[in-house]
């Protein structure tokens, strides 16, 4: 199979009155009308409706049901994993071109229904239009990029020659695995982990977040339509404490791919490390967790650019990104000037229902998240000076105004713990040495950025700023597939570098074959 060179999917033009603006409005109307649908589990291609269901809600309008979803249990988890194990026998031997074709066709389906998928993200995940558009583009990119990467890795890989022997290496699939995506990128990250699993010849059980199961089901449908055989992907929504744990601890589970909180990621890692009766391998665990990401603003930097970069990084998708900027570390000579400009910029952010394209910030994901974030804001008021936001929005949805807390100590709770909401701590640093030390003083190491015109300082930050994705003179969010392979250090996860040339190797095992020449 020959594919053209990879190109990132272009973003939509949502200027008022544009064709894509009108198409998006129509998609929102169509998707909103589907709120009373019921969504089953899918095991080995069989649709299973359970007696127990749960409702997925619109976080901007919590009384609006996006869909009613069947709820799995531990027994069904075992059944789904068994189906994936059975399907692996054939799928692992399927021609590479067939596996690649599933990804290419899935990308085509996502592309042809782009605004529909964006509408689901707006209504179920609370994403503003631009954020939803970028996520669908990223999902398409994962499919297209991993398809090409599999073609590169397929077949015998040459090794250093040795006289008298023929030697080669090949990458084999691992087995049946579990894919557990987060609610904040319920399409893109699910697509990336599922696509990487499937194209390398593995089979999977997809266990979506209970906050965003409908979007996950829509992706499952796309994989099925693209030609994924029965049992290659199985759809299993349900509570993590029962369904997730049953899948992770199953003796036939070969690997787990997870993205989410530090607490859940560490629990999965611990559970997977326990060898159980009937298990004949060490489970492969690929986890991406949280971050407490900093942007350093140096004296002499372009303050307008820094203000914009911090604002977009801190409040894009309501700060609900593991890559979000939650700490601005600002050099003392420009601290007050930067803070004044940032406060003015943040107070202009329009918060409201993301169905309205004019709203740049929507709701946080659920009531529990809203309460947790507001509690952190209360803590922040004791640990620093509130200069913007600090309260819930006026409507019934789970809104929180973009919040800035200034004069925060580097060791304060709001400077150390991941809040996962629209809350920014601003920290004054006496000099660049101190700024780098503060940037590195958390247990995480995911993203970071530095705004500076000083080449020597940027070079030093490149060596010393301990983060998996470090950006200079730009925002610290918005990693693009193939351009910015994504993953972090320390408690941010296993540094898997999603969207990079190393990623598919995590879903394979390497076998070397050596033959003495002239014996056959």
């Amino acid at each position: 199979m020959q594919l053209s060179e990879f190109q990132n999917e272009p973003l939509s033009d949502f200027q008022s009155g544009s064709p894509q603006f009108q198409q998006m409005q129509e998609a929102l109307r169509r998707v909103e009308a589907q709120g009373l649908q019921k969504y089953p589990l899918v095991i080995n291609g069989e649709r299973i409706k359970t007696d127990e269901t749960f409702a997925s809600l619109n976080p901007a309008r919590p009384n609006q049901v996006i869909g009613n979803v069947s709820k799995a249990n531990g027994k069904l988890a075992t059944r789904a994993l068994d189906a994936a194990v059975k399907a692996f026998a054939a799928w692992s031997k399927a021609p590479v071109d067939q596996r690649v074709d599933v990804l290419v066709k899935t990308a085509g389906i996502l592309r042809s229904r782009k605004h529909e998928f964006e509408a689901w993200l707006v209504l179920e995940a609370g994403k503003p239009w631009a954020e939803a558009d970028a996520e669908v583009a990223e999902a398409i990119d994962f499919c297209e990029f991993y398809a090409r990467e599999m073609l590169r890795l397929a077949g015998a890989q040459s090794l250093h020659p040795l006289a008298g022997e023929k030697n080669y290496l090949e990458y084999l699939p691992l087995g049946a695995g579990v894919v557990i995506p987060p609610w904040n990128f319920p399409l893109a990250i699910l697509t990336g982990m599922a696509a990487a699993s499937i194209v390398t010849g593995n089979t999977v059980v997809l266990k979506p977040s209970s906050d965003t199961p409908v979007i996950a089901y829509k992706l499952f449908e796309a994989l099925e339509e693209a030609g994924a055989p029965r049992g290659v992907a199985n759809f299993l929504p349900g509570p993590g404490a029962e369904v997730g744990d049953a899948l992770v601890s199953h003796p036939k589970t070969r690997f787990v791919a997870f993205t989410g909180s530090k607490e859940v990621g560490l629990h999965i890692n611990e559970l997977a490390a326990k060898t159980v009766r009937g298990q004949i391998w060490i489970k492969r665990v690929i986890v991406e967790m949280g971050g407490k990401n900093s942007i350093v603003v140096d004296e002499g930097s372009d303050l307008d650019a820094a203000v914009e970069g911090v604002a977009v990084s801190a409040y894009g998708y309501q700060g609900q990104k593991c890559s979000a900027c939650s700490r601005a570390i600002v050099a003392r000579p420009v601290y007050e000037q930067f803070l004044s400009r940032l406060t003015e910029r943040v107070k202009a952010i329009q918060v409201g229902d993301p169905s309205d394209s004019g709203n740049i910030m929507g709701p946080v994901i659920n009531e529990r998240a809203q309460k947790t974030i507001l509690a952190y804001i209360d803590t922040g008021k004791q640990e620093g000076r509130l200069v913007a936001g600090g309260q819930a929005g006026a409507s019934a949805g789970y809104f929180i105004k973009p919040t800035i807390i200034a004069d925060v100590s580097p060791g304060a709770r709001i400077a150390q713990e991941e809040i996962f909401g629209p809350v920014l701590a601003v920290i004054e640093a006496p000099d660049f040495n101190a700024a780098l030390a503060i940037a590195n003083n958390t247990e995480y190491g995911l993203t970071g950025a530095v705004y500076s015109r000083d080449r020597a300082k940027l070079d030093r930050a490149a060596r010393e700023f301990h983060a998996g994705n470090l950006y200079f003179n730009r925002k610290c969010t918005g990693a693009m597939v193939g351009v910015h392979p994504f993953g972090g250090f320390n408690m941010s996860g296993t540094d898997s570098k999603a969207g990079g040339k190393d990623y598919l190797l995590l879903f394979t095992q390497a076998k070397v074959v050596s033959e003495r020449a002239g014996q056959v």
Side-chain angles (χ1 to χ4, degrees):
M1 176 181 285
Q2 293 287 331
L3 296 176
S4 61
E5 184 179 354
F6 172 75
Q7 299 288 332
N8 293 107
E9 182 71 13
L11 299 178
S12 299
D13 174 14
F14 286 140
Q15 293 186 53
S16 182
S18 71
Q20 290 181 320
F21 179 89
Q22 294 172 347
Q23 291 162 10
M24 183 63 179
Q25 287 185 318
E26 293 168 4
L28 282 165
R29 285 192 289 269
R30 289 196 310 271
V31 166
E32 202 162 0
Q34 299 180 46
L36 298 180
Q37 282 197 20
K38 296 181 179 180
Y39 297 91
L41 318 177
V42 187
I43 299 175
N44 198 34
E46 179 186 354
R47 264 64 177 170
I48 300 170
K49 294 183 179 180
T50 60
D51 292 335
E52 192 173 2
T53 63
F54 64 96
S56 178
L57 306 176
N58 180 348
R61 289 169 262 159
N63 61 345
Q64 181 182 28
V65 176
I66 300 303
N68 288 292
V69 184
S70 289
K71 182 187 291 186
N73 54 31
K75 184 177 180 180
L76 287 165
T78 298
R79 180 175 164 185
L81 206 285
D82 288 344
V85 170
K86 184 177 180 180
F88 177 74
W91 186 245
S92 61
K93 298 177 178 64
V96 168
D97 284 1
Q98 180 185 352
R99 301 187 328 236
V100 167
D101 188 57
V102 169
L103 263 61
V104 173
K105 286 180 176 175
T106 300
I109 293 166
L110 292 172
R111 191 177 290 114
S112 67
R113 296 165 52 196
K114 180 182 284 189
H115 298 313
E116 178 186 334
F117 277 94
E118 290 165 357
W120 285 113
L121 288 167
V122 169
L123 293 170
E124 189 176 36
K127 292 216 163 187
W129 286 25
E131 296 281 349
D133 185 60
E135 178 163 355
V136 178
E138 185 177 20
I140 294 168
D141 284 350
F142 276 132
C143 290
E144 296 282 9
F145 184 79
Y146 292 153
R148 287 158 175 79
E149 282 301 292
M150 192 63 237
L151 291 177
R152 179 177 69 86
L153 297 173
Q157 307 290 308
S158 61
L159 299 169
H160 187 74
L162 178 65
E165 284 190 7
K166 176 185 177 183
N167 299 291
Y168 66 89
L169 178 149
E170 59 181 341
Y171 294 108
L172 306 178
L174 294 172
V178 180
V179 170
I180 306 175
W183 52 261
N184 63 329
F185 285 89
L187 178 66
I189 292 179
L190 172 59
T191 301
M193 295 192 296
S197 302
I198 290 169
V199 80
T200 47
N202 302 295
T203 56
V204 290
V205 178
L206 308 177
K207 193 276 176 205
S209 166
S210 295
D211 285 306
T212 50
V214 176
I215 295 166
Y217 184 81
K218 296 299 177 180
L219 175 69
F220 172 83
E221 286 185 318
L223 289 168
E224 194 175 50
E225 184 181 340
R230 290 186 174 190
V232 168
N234 302 275
F235 178 72
L236 203 75
E242 182 179 3
V243 174
D245 284 4
L247 291 170
V248 171
S249 60
H250 195 289
K252 296 295 178 66
T253 295
R254 181 62 182 84
F255 68 93
V256 181
F258 165 82
T259 302
S261 71
K262 181 191 80 171
E263 290 73 22
V264 176
L266 292 178
H267 172 71
I268 286 172
N269 190 55
E270 181 180 5
L271 195 60
K274 296 177 181 177
T275 305
V276 296
R277 185 179 178 86
Q279 182 178 330
I280 62 170
W281 44 58
I282 299 171
K283 294 175 183 177
R284 182 78 56 85
V285 178
I286 305 153
V287 293
E288 289 304 316
M289 304 189 294
K292 192 65 182 175
N293 312 300
S294 300
I295 293 182
V296 172
V297 181
D298 185 32
E299 58 183 297
S301 62
D302 182 335
L303 285 189
D304 289 337
V307 164
E308 187 63 20
V310 168
V312 172
S313 299
Y315 305 109
Y317 189 38
Q318 298 79 264
Q320 299 177 123
K321 300 179 183 181
C322 55
S323 60
C325 173
S326 58
R327 312 194 308 172
I329 304 168
V330 186
R332 182 169 294 159
V334 294
Y335 180 82
E336 292 297 340
Q337 187 180 6
F338 171 85
L339 183 61
S340 175
R341 293 191 194 181
L342 179 67
T343 302
E344 182 180 2
R345 168 70 174 83
V346 169
K347 286 182 176 178
I349 293 175
Q350 189 167 322
V351 181
D353 192 324
S355 294
D356 181 341
S357 64
N359 291 324
I360 305 304
M361 265 183 58
V364 297
I365 191 63
N366 56 36
E367 183 180 14
R368 182 178 65 256
Q370 186 188 47
K371 288 180 178 178
T372 298
I373 296 163
L374 289 172
Y376 268 114
I377 291 173
D378 286 341
T379 298
K381 291 175 182 177
Q382 305 303 313
E383 295 182 329
R385 173 167 54 100
L386 180 69
V387 296
Q391 68 246 12
S395 67
Y398 305 126
F399 297 96
I400 296 177
K401 293 183 178 181
T403 298
I404 300 173
I405 300 174
D407 308 341
V408 175
S409 166
R413 277 189 65 198
I414 63 163
Q416 291 294 316
E417 298 177 14
E418 186 178 37
I419 300 172
F420 223 67
V423 181
L424 177 72
V426 184
I427 302 169
E428 182 179 331
D431 53 36
F432 194 74
N433 289 341
L436 279 183
I438 295 168
N440 287 330
N441 78 347
T442 79
E443 63 182 350
Y444 298 101
L446 188 50
T447 73
V450 178
Y451 280 85
S452 178
R453 291 189 173 106
D454 189 322
R455 182 75 260 165
K457 289 179 178 178
L458 294 178
D459 290 344
R460 183 180 170 197
R463 296 189 303 269
E464 298 180 17
F465 197 142
H466 197 62
N469 286 71
L470 181 62
Y471 305 96
F472 293 154
N473 294 312
R474 55 147 286 178
K475 63 180 182 174
C476 67
T477 58
M480 295 182 67
V481 173
V483 181
H484 315 107
F486 188 79
F489 306 153
N490 298 352
M491 285 298 175
S492 290
T494 55
D495 193 37
S496 63
K497 289 303 180 225
K501 289 185 174 293
D502 301 324
Y503 190 68
L504 291 191
L505 299 181
L506 299 173
F507 297 83
T508 68
Q509 49 197 348
K511 180 178 182 178
V512 173
V513 177
S514 302
E515 180 181 347
R516 179 74 61 165
Q519 300 301 304
V520 177

